Amino acid sequence: MTSPSTSPARAGTGAELSLQQQRVRSAFWFLAPMMVALIAAAAWPLFRTIYFSLTNTTLSSLYEGEWIGLGNYLNWRTLSSGKTIYRGTLVDPAWWNAVWNTVRFSFVSVLLETVLGLLVALVLNAEFRGRALVRAAILIPWAIPTIVSAKMWAWMLNDQFGIINDLFLNLGIISEKIAWTASDATSMYAVLMVDVWKTTPFMALLCLAGLQMIPRDIYEAARIDGVHPVKVFFRITLPLIRPALMVAVIFRALDALRIFDLIYVLTPNSSATKTMSVISRENLIDFDKFAYGSAQSTLLFAIIALFVAAYIWLGKVNLTGENR
Amino acid sequence: MTFRIRSLIAGSAMFAVLAAGLVAAPVRAEEITYVSGAVGNAVEDFKKIVKPWEEKTGNTVTLVPMPASTTDQFGQYRLWLAAGNTDIDLYQTDVIWAPQLADQFEDLTAAAKDLAPQHFPSIIESQTVNGKLVALPIFTDAPALYYRKDLLEKYKKPVPKTWEEMAATAKEIQDAERAAGKKDLWGFIWQGNAYEGLTCNALEWIKSFGGGQVVEADGTISVNNEKAVAALEAAKSWVGTISPPGVLSYQEEEARGLWQTGNAVFMRNWPYAYTLGNGADSAVKGLFDVTTLPTGGGNDTSAATLGGWNVAVSKYSKHKDAAISLALYLAGPEAQKQRALIASNLPTIQSLYDDKEIAEKQPIIPQWKDVFLQAVPRPSAPTKGKYNEVSAKFWSSVHDTLAGKGTAAENLEMLEADLDELKGSAW
């Protein structure tokens, strides 16, 4: 690019520097649209939510909120009797109940989905006729919008007309109709079941991608050495797909921790299934406690960040894509 | 094609109006958007009801149907209004919303100065906030006890007057019918999902047991008392015996579904289920009747929660004149009569209760006048902007009680403490 006749003496170092600079510059321009989109779609709303959580904004006066510091998280006043009472999200039992519900739901659902997804992926990884068709078919639950599948399952789980009760009654598994989504004892199981049904294909797909990266010759070598298939799975397959699996689990955990639609549609608005997202939406909109709901949203963000950070640290997940 | 016909009609309507020498003819056809929850046949009925107005003014109305749950509707409307949404011109609002959304709606006092006095004063008052008429009533609602005439006759039982009597009758018929092979029959169905509808149901139990109305008109929190506890305990005893355990996830439409397939002896529901229950596809057509809700615990007056829907004009509408004209039409005698005839919705215009055609085709309506005149309002007026939270706390503690999480006494005591804290120094 540079003309050698104008500055022959510095041509060598100049070209080197400018090449590096050019790289940085073009990288910047390639990244800029994505950065702008990220700032507009993620950083700015997040910043606004955190800001709102430090004010007393209501939904009917969005721009008139006053700064009140951390009052939505924790505040206290001393009564005339000298007793101090604490208020705010951090001491709100309804909030901690929702956190517990969410964490419990996430742990169980991600665990089940990972195990089942891996099993499905192993089956799909085998060579058999019609494999492409089965691979496509298994993705259907994932492709149906959550609202639609939640409503569909709500009818299937309906205590009076539902096909599940009818099936179980005829098979003699249950003796009387169960109100799956209404009863506190079963509603969480109902949610878990539908979520597992819906998301297992997603996990299976990610696991399958990992499985297909494993070179076939390793398996051949194991077979020639006469290694037992179970041992092959635990010594070869699992360690080799571990990076892919860890990333898949992060995706699912992020998703599960902010679950809203399935619970909102499938179960009554009871404390047995209310999650962090459900309770913060309720405060934001239904109760016109916009700032309080923002504080809960901020905590939701913090809790998810904490979980993911702990997971990456404990699992030593390699997110850079470079070989160790 | 339809557009051309519409504009043709609009043109001729305009000509007719001008020819008659009247002023304020529509300048051009406008498209008005009306948003409303959709229960039963609401979408089809609405088209029939607005047709005369569309023909008269040349404007067209699009209905945006929303979920049946009033709680869900409210959340969406609040969001739209907070964002200053200009797409929606008119909102169909629940009777309890006026104090919470008053700032976002047009004042209809001047526009309705001739129409408002024709309505029941108490309903107009419920929609007036600080002297501003926020919404115009289009129909009112008070629930009834639906009962199966044929089954009561078969077992020679009178129509129950008390909850205790109702529960006993329901149990007896349910057991006998099940023994005779109707395995899916239930005694009594109602709305037990954790939402606004449970607040209505539970308020009726408590009030009809003589336990007050949760928060009294002067703002006192009265919910923690022995009669209220007795009322909730009675309701708890129904779940799993005369009411299916799934009733704790039922809203109006789930209950109606069970009723209309002939699987219930008694049902608590709003008047809209009367016409639908007598529809051609109903298994209980002609087999049922309605009466006032029972009383309980030795108390002698029954209670029906005052419901009802209104129409409000958005402050952000771009077609305010047309929207106000539509609101006046929907709240007027012509539309209300039509609504009463096709959907058995109770009019809010007093003179329609003496209307011969309504009395003939919907005999339930004249009977209902006294019921709703004595109806209990939900505590939306005294609790103002905090009503939703009060209601949510109330229905949560009732739902917990019914689901067996804590006793009625424990939950109501906690509720009292929570409400007290929410109230602070004043509502």
Side-chain angles (χ1 to χ4, degrees), chain A:
Chain A
M1 289 295 271
T2 41
S3 154
S5 60
T6 48
S7 56
R10 297 175 56 199
T13 52
E16 223 167 12
L17 264 181
S18 76
L19 184 64
Q20 184 60 22
Q21 280 170 342
Q22 266 179 9
R23 280 183 154 186
V24 170
R25 196 168 299 159
S26 53
F28 172 78
W29 284 114
F30 277 116
L31 283 175
M34 192 201 66
M35 293 306 285
V36 170
L38 266 184
I39 288 169
W44 175 243
L46 180 67
F47 168 76
R48 286 292 281 177
T49 307
I50 295 173
Y51 170 77
F52 279 137
S53 76
L54 301 169
T55 66
N56 61 2
T57 308
T58 62
L59 203 51
S60 32
S61 58
L62 271 182
Y63 301 99
E64 292 145 35
E66 286 165 16
W67 185 268
I68 58 162
L70 294 170
N72 286 316
Y73 297 91
L74 188 65
N75 65 76
W76 57 87
R77 63 199 154 109
T78 311
L79 301 177
S80 49
S81 64
K83 196 178 147 204
T84 310
I85 47 168
Y86 293 91
R87 293 287 172 264
T89 306
L90 289 174
V91 288
D92 185 347
W95 166 252
W96 290 110
N97 172 55
V99 173
W100 169 237
N101 277 342
T102 317
V103 171
R104 198 165 46 130
F105 165 82
S106 304
F107 182 77
V108 179
S109 70
V110 174
L111 188 72
L112 287 175
E113 283 152 16
T114 310
V115 172
L116 291 175
L118 191 56
L119 286 176
V120 172
L122 286 170
V123 171
L124 290 183
N125 198 36
E127 302 277 349
F128 59 90
R129 276 165 69 89
R131 186 170 69 157
L133 198 71
V134 175
R135 275 187 190 174
I138 204 157
L139 272 175
I140 289 175
W142 177 248
I144 298 175
T146 313
I147 297 291
V148 177
S149 53
K151 206 72 209 168
M152 198 171 83
W153 276 95
W155 281 113
M156 287 167 59
L157 291 165
N158 180 296
D159 59 326
Q160 297 301 315
F161 323 114
I163 191 168
I164 308 266
N165 272 342
D166 196 53
L167 212 66
F168 284 8
L169 267 181
N170 286 335
L171 290 174
I173 298 174
I174 53 175
S175 56
E176 56 182 30
K177 289 179 172 175
I178 295 179
W180 295 98
T181 58
S183 137
D184 278 359
T186 53
S187 53
M188 194 45 116
Y189 296 111
V191 172
L192 279 169
M193 185 176 76
V194 179
D195 195 69
V196 167
W197 171 82
K198 181 179 165 57
T199 327
T200 299
F202 172 76
M203 287 303 268
L205 198 70
L206 289 185
C207 292
L208 188 60
L211 281 175
Q212 296 198 323
M213 305 264 281
I214 304 176
R216 297 271 150 180
D217 47 2
I218 303 183
Y219 288 112
E220 255 168 56
R223 200 162 58 231
I224 291 164
D225 291 347
V227 185
H228 192 268
V230 175
K231 203 172 175 188
V232 170
F233 173 76
F234 283 105
R235 288 294 172 83
I236 300 173
T237 313
L238 209 52
L240 283 175
I241 62 161
R242 188 175 162 276
L245 201 60
M246 293 302 256
V247 173
V249 168
I250 285 201
F251 279 163
R252 267 313 298 149
L254 281 174
D255 229 23
L257 283 166
R258 59 179 180 79
I259 180 147
F260 173 79
D261 36 13
L262 186 58
I263 291 194
Y264 191 77
V265 175
L266 196 62
T267 62
N269 187 13
S270 83
S271 55
T273 52
K274 237 181 220 183
T275 61
M276 294 192 277
S277 303
V278 173
I279 200 169
S280 75
R281 191 212 72 100
E282 186 173 59
N283 278 303
L284 279 166
I285 294 163
D286 288 348
F287 296 167
D288 204 12
K289 286 159 66 173
F290 196 75
Y292 194 74
S294 296
Q296 295 187 329
S297 298
T298 308
L299 285 179
L300 166 66
F301 165 73
I303 288 173
I304 293 184
L306 206 71
F307 267 104
V308 173
Y311 176 84
I312 291 176
W313 183 63
L314 288 174
K316 299 187 177 63
V317 181
N318 178 11
L319 288 173
T320 58
E322 286 160 16
N323 293 324
R324 276 167 294 173

Side-chain angles (χ1 to χ4, degrees), chain B residues 48-50 52 115-116 118-120 123-124 135-140 308-311 326-353 355 358 362 365 372:
Chain B
K48 285 183 212 154
I49 291 167
V50 293
L115 183 62
Q118 298 177 30
H119 292 262
F120 288 104
I123 299 179
I124 291 290
L136 287 171
I138 56 176
F139 67 93
T140 184
W309 291 86
N310 311 278
V311 55
L326 178 58
L328 290 174
Y329 170 76
L330 287 172
E334 189 187 345
Q336 289 215 357
K337 181 172 175 180
Q338 173 80 341
R339 201 181 271 284
L341 291 175
I342 61 177
S344 60
N345 288 149
L346 303 174
T348 60
I349 291 179
Q350 309 189 38
S351 61
L352 288 178
Y353 285 86
D355 188 281
I358 292 179
Q362 296 286 3
I365 288 177
F372 100 82

